[in-house]
Amino acid sequence: MGPYSVIMRVPSSLQRRVHQSGWVKGLVGSRRRQYAHRASSIAEDTSIFAENESYVEEKEAISSAYVHLPFCKKKCLYCDFPVVAVGHGRKIADYDAQYKDYKDSMMTSYVDYLCKEMELTPVGSHASGLHTREESEDVGHVALKTLYFGGGTPSLLPLKELERILEVLRRRFGIEPTAEITIEADPGTFDSNRLKSYMNLGITRVSVGVQAFDDRLLELCGRSHALYDVYKAIEDVHAADVPSWSLDLISGLPELDMDAWERNIMCAIDAQSHHISSYDLQVEPGTPFHSLYRPGMRPLPSDDETASMYARAVDLFTAHGFDHYELSSYAKRGHQCVHNAVYWDGKGYHAFGMGASSYVHRSRVTRPRKFNAYLAWVKQFEESIENNHHPLPHVATPRATSEDVLTDMIMLQLRKASGLDLGMMERRFRHGALIKDAILDAISTSVERGLVEYDADNNVVKFIDPDGFLLSNDVISDIFVALDRLKT
């Protein structure tokens, strides 16, 4: 697992385009924030986006769920997720033993309220009190086809508590026998026996939060594990014969250069995982990283260097049999993450737990990010159900407008290698043909530059890898400008 000797530079023509465009870091989570000002400028009062005629909603029963388990050994320095630090420990068994005799412990209390939220949630729809049970259950019900335990570090949760959550989900919603059930697990928090226990509970997929194959980088990130733990975790995953597993990497970290990044990539490939998620570092407000670093400035890599790292990852992962099926995701055949596709395709999903955000029939609800506030929220949810099913006043978020749906559809579907389905857009929007023409006009220059492809046979628009993804910010901005012109 030594350094990889071959270095491939991003073509100079791309380097010039990156420099000229001022390529914006943030190919991952911050894209919505980057484009929000453009999306909001699309006229709400035009006939194109008039709510009573613009969008044909295809209602379908919700068959996916996200469950947030917020507990971590400690909070990483770049993390802005809602988490609860429970202290550092090395022995796997400690976590079960520590909470064995404490029914009122923090983890047990959290799971109590988490299960209560699940029990209160209407079957067939979910907006946490925005709909009555009668309204919700008219939509229909199917068992869950995907389930994702995220965090936090879900692998810290005692097995008996995880089993309790799964029992409630099976009883309340049902879980398909062939469902994809993913759990996130950090090195140093599981062993092969725990993984086998997960599989006995029905879990089919494990996502290992490696982040870096370098002790110095792990230390700079404030990770609770070391490189030794990473290799032990990989050994345990193989020993347990997990049917599908993924590992996470982060590019753009402090002090990371191209040589070190290539070594990380090759170590990830040598781990023989079925799936790799490779994210660009986001320096989020309110985190220690935000106080320590500025994007594009040392010791962080420059924007051009980060762009080159992205292109290099594409080259190496695809050369070793991974399909680059989404902006930050690579998979061997048959191992794409089915649950994440629900987000990218704009489908509805349940969400439970502290800070979790659900999306059902164009209604999005985010739960409180603080532990005690979440417990209070569940209590209020219970009281609202008891009081004639009245919705919770502070979570009554408005349904997404037709332009919101369109914006999300463009941004999320273009993350995928399969691209933006213009045929679906034409079917779902009354003025879909006009919207399609505006999009095709907006991307015409990008098509000529070799950044975007319009597949007329399948009626889809997609980025050409990697150049198109690297300059995707510019392309999507052009699309929003063109849609803005529809109001004139």
Side-chain angles (χ1 to χ4, degrees), residues 214-290:
D214 184 300
D215 271 325
R216 174 60 177 165
L217 293 176
L218 293 172
E219 180 184 4
L220 287 170
C221 290
R223 297 291 292 177
S224 62
H225 65 266
L227 187 56
Y228 166 83
D229 300 308
V230 170
Y231 286 121
K232 180 63 168 60
I234 293 170
E235 177 184 324
D236 286 331
V237 170
H238 286 294
D241 197 22
V242 176
S244 187
W245 73 283
S246 177
L247 66 81
D248 292 350
L249 286 181
I250 303 179
S251 65
L253 292 173
E255 301 182 9
L256 185 65
D257 59 23
M258 182 62 81
D259 288 342
W261 177 234
E262 286 186 349
R263 289 194 295 271
N264 276 265
I265 292 172
M266 293 311 301
C267 287
I269 291 169
D270 289 343
Q272 298 183 346
S273 66
H274 304 108
H275 186 284
I276 296 173
S277 296
S278 179
Y279 302 109
D280 182 41
L281 173 68
Q282 300 300 295
V283 180
E284 301 288 359
T287 65
F289 263 29
H290 191 260

Side-chain angles (χ1 to χ4, degrees), residues 297-356:
M297 298 178 63
R298 298 297 179 194
L300 297 183
S302 68
D303 290 351
D304 284 359
E305 288 171 325
T306 308
S308 298
M309 289 178 187
Y310 180 84
R312 189 60 174 143
V314 172
D315 290 339
L316 289 176
F317 288 139
T318 56
H320 286 81
F322 288 90
D323 175 28
H324 187 202
Y325 73 99
E326 187 270 340
L327 187 68
S328 303
S329 305
Y330 305 80
K332 294 294 181 71
R333 184 182 297 274
H335 291 278
Q336 294 186 4
C337 182
V338 181
H339 181 82
N340 284 345
V342 172
Y343 305 142
W344 303 325
D345 289 336
K347 296 181 179 179
Y349 52 89
H350 299 292
F352 306 104
M354 190 177 107

